Amino acid sequence: MTEQHARQPSQEPSERFERGTDGPKVILVGVDGSDSSLRAAAYAGGLARRQHALLAVVYVQPVMAAGAAFGVPVAETTGQIAEDLVAQIREATERMRGIFDVRWEFHTLHGDPYTGLVRAADELKADAVVVGASEQAGHRIVGSVAVRLVKAGRWPVTVVP
C-alpha cells in the first residue's frame, strides 16, 4: 500500500505578484473608437462582470508629429476622441445600471498604441488584455497591435473581430 501525502500550502505570504491565481482581477481593454474596439469593450465588460473583475478601459492617444507639422490640430482631435469614448462608455454603463454591475475605470495615455497598452497592462497588473481586430488592410501584412500583444506573450490576449 502506498502512502499519500497532502501538500500543505505555504503559510508565508508570497511577496511576488501572481497573475490570474483565482481568475482575472483586472481586465484591460484597448479602445480607439473603431467598431471592433467597441465590440472588444462589450466583450471585456461581460467578462469583467462574470469574473467580478475591474474593467480597465484604455485609450492611447496617438502622437502624430507629421500631422502637427502640417498644422493639423492632432492633440485636439485625439482629445475629442477620448472625450467621445468616455461619453459612449458612460452612456452604455447608465443603460446597464441595475442589470449588470461592472467596476470600470478609463485611462488615457499618449504615444504608440502597442507601447501604451503594454505600459498600462504592466502598471495596472492586468490579468488579461482584450483588443479589437485591426480594421486596416495593411495590418494583415505588417502586423497589428493585437498580433504584437499576442507575440509579447505576457498576458492572455483575446482579439475580438
Side-chain angles (χ1 to χ4, degrees), residues 85-144:
L85 286 171
V86 170
Q88 287 177 26
I89 292 165
R90 284 209 170 106
E91 179 183 317
T93 302
E94 287 301 318
R95 282 195 314 260
M96 299 299 152
R97 187 177 300 280
I99 300 170
F100 298 120
D101 188 23
V102 176
R103 292 179 304 122
W104 66 278
E105 52 190 45
F106 187 85
H107 300 270
T108 303
L109 304 159
H110 298 276
D112 167 62
Y114 169 77
T115 305
L117 290 175
V118 167
R119 189 173 80 220
D122 284 343
E123 289 175 6
L124 296 168
K125 292 184 173 44
D127 296 301
V129 176
V130 180
V131 291
S134 176
E135 296 179 350
Q136 297 179 1
H139 284 177
R140 304 225 188 280
I141 299 165
V142 203
S144 64

Side-chain angles (χ1 to χ4, degrees), residues 9 19-22 28 44 46-47 49 56 69 72 74 79 84 92 98 107 123 125 128 144 147-148 151-152:
R19 285 188 168 93
T21 40
D22 295 318
L28 182 141
L47 184 59
R49 178 186 56 80
V72 177
V74 176
D84 290 347
H107 300 270
E123 289 175 6
K125 292 184 173 44
S144 64
V147 169
R148 292 173 66 193
K151 286 182 176 181

Side-chain angles (χ1 to χ4, degrees), residues 33 52 66 85 109 113 145 157:
H52 305 288
L85 286 171
L109 304 159
V145 170
V157 177

Side-chain angles (χ1 to χ4, degrees), residues 21-103:
T21 40
D22 295 318
K25 297 295 179 205
V26 177
I27 298 170
L28 182 141
V29 61
V31 295
D32 62 6
S34 66
D35 288 342
S36 68
S37 79
L38 296 177
R39 285 191 297 271
Y43 178 88
L47 184 59
R49 178 186 56 80
R50 290 186 298 278
Q51 297 291 330
H52 305 288
L54 171 68
L55 177 64
V57 181
V58 177
Y59 170 62
V60 181
Q61 292 183 5
V63 176
M64 296 180 233
F70 292 110
V72 177
V74 176
E76 291 175 22
T77 303
T78 58
Q80 184 60 45
I81 291 170
E83 288 175 24
D84 290 347
L85 286 171
V86 170
Q88 287 177 26
I89 292 165
R90 284 209 170 106
E91 179 183 317
T93 302
E94 287 301 318
R95 282 195 314 260
M96 299 299 152
R97 187 177 300 280
I99 300 170
F100 298 120
D101 188 23
V102 176
R103 292 179 304 122

